[in-house]
Amino acid sequence: MRRRISDNTLWFWIFVGPFAAGLALFTYVPLLWSVYLSFFDAHNTVSPTDFVGFDNYTAMLRDDAFTSSLGTFAVFSLFIVPATYALALVLALLVNRTRRFQAFYRSVFFLPAACSYVVAALIWKMSIFNGVRFGLANTVLGWFGLDQTAWLSTTHPPWYWLVIGTVRLWLQAGFYMILFLAGLQRISPRLYEAAAVDGARPGWQVFRHITFPQLRTTSIAVVLLLVINAFQAFDEFYNLLSDARGYPPYARPPLVYLYYTALGQGQNLGMGSAGAVILALIIAVVTVFQARWFGLGRKEAD
């Protein structure tokens, strides 16, 4: 028995050990080192010696560019989270009702989730919304006799938000559709049979009283993930808008700002690390607040 336990432990570490080592080396060590750097004056170095305490945090919180980026993307999350949630839920309901080629439709809608954010942003920028007459979006506008639009221009109205929103919806909706599909397939068919016997009409009435309440746990998980991803937005903004002279008003996410702070001309790694810690704490607080508000982990009444 002892030998069997020892063999199981050995094989456990053989399979898990490389992943655990990589996770510690490339995730936890940089995180801890970032927290360490946030308390030092670290210009152009990752081995600082000038301890400044909480001065970097104070400077970050007083920086209008950083605080405005947080406020702007709080508003952005209020748009992108419900939009992605609704689109993913609708797709899941449609695919779940399909009797033929369900695996095909599931794969087609999920495929964008496997695409790189950088690649998708460049396709949106250089092919679909490139702002020239032969771009796909302007070609469609031309069919209806509408004028061409410079989609990524800094002028008003800010059409770049449409570009950013559509690429993010295209990339995310399929992944969350799979989560909703898993939740839908866990609902017992007996609930629908009982509802039919009680005279419930198929459609909105069944969805409102049976389907949607049964998706409560899945919905909470989806909303939590969407909010976290909204505040971690970087790739699409950096690749879509980095060619502009500075960033358009209210279109620079916190991570892009921290990227230029830490790795830009000044290379202030201490300030960048402090901003990253503040952003991580904000995400943690928002996540905990959401979990408490939705009652995540609370034992449901029988």
Side-chain angles (χ1 to χ4, degrees):
M1 180 63 69
R2 291 180 178 177
R3 182 177 181 180
R4 181 179 300 176
I5 295 175
S6 178
D7 290 342
N8 290 337
T9 303
L10 175 63
W11 283 110
F12 171 82
W13 285 111
I14 288 176
F15 285 104
V16 177
F19 172 78
L23 184 66
L25 182 62
F26 297 107
T27 301
Y28 293 120
V29 171
L31 283 175
L32 295 175
W33 194 255
S34 179
V35 175
Y36 173 79
L37 287 177
S38 67
F39 294 102
F40 288 84
D41 182 11
H43 283 82
N44 304 308
T45 179
V46 294
S47 301
T49 57
D50 187 8
F51 181 78
V52 296
F54 289 95
D55 289 352
N56 288 328
Y57 291 90
T58 304
M60 264 295 172
L61 293 175
R62 291 177 177 174
D63 190 344
D64 293 336
F66 179 66
T67 54
S68 65
S69 70
L70 293 175
T72 298
F73 276 79
V75 177
F76 171 69
S77 66
L78 292 178
F79 162 75
I80 198 66
V81 170
T84 308
Y85 178 93
L87 180 59
L89 180 57
V90 169
L91 291 176
L93 292 170
L94 292 175
V95 173
N96 192 57
R97 289 175 61 88
T98 304
R99 293 293 175 261
R100 294 183 179 181
F101 305 109
Q102 187 178 108
F104 170 76
Y105 290 118
R106 186 169 62 241
S107 301
V108 168
F109 289 128
F110 178 76
L111 190 61
C115 180
S116 168
Y117 274 66
V118 177
V119 173
L122 292 177
I123 292 174
W124 252 245
K125 180 179 182 178
M126 303 177 68
S127 179
I128 300 177
F129 295 99
N130 55 13
V132 300
R133 182 165 59 91
F134 300 104
L136 179 59
N138 281 335
T139 299
V140 174
L141 290 179
W143 293 345
F144 298 95
L146 300 176
D147 296 333
Q148 300 179 29
T149 300
W151 299 98
L152 295 176
S153 172
T154 60
T155 58
H156 293 283
W159 292 113
Y160 52 80
W161 281 113
L162 177 63
V163 183
I164 294 169
T166 52
V167 68
R168 198 161 182 83
L169 283 172
W170 184 77
L171 286 164
Q172 290 189 147
F175 172 77
Y176 296 105
M177 179 204 70
I178 295 298
L179 299 183
F180 278 123
L181 271 176
L184 289 171
Q185 293 172 1
R186 292 178 62 247
I187 301 176
S188 174
R190 295 182 179 179
L191 293 176
Y192 295 106
E193 295 172 0
V197 171
D198 290 339
R201 289 173 294 180
W204 170 250
Q205 193 173 18
V206 172
F207 172 78
R208 177 185 176 185
H209 296 286
I210 302 296
T211 305
F212 191 69
Q214 291 296 315
L215 290 175
R216 178 179 176 274
T217 304
T218 304
S219 296
I220 293 173
V222 168
V223 171
L224 290 176
L225 292 174
L226 283 172
V227 172
I228 293 173
N229 287 335
F231 276 93
Q232 291 179 335
F234 176 82
D235 295 316
E236 64 268 45
F237 289 90
Y238 181 80
N239 289 280
L240 285 170
L241 302 175
S242 59
D243 289 345
R245 294 181 179 178
Y247 272 75
Y250 309 110
R252 181 167 61 178
L255 285 185
V256 172
Y257 172 78
L258 295 177
Y259 173 81
Y260 282 113
T261 300
L263 301 176
Q265 186 175 2
Q267 291 194 358
N268 193 337
L269 299 176
M271 288 276 290
S273 298
V277 173
I278 294 172
L279 182 61
L281 291 176
I282 291 174
I283 294 174
V285 170
V286 171
T287 302
V288 172
F289 174 77
Q290 284 184 294
R292 294 290 297 272
W293 187 49
F294 287 120
L296 186 64
R298 186 186 304 164
K299 186 177 180 180
E300 297 183 0
D302 295 335

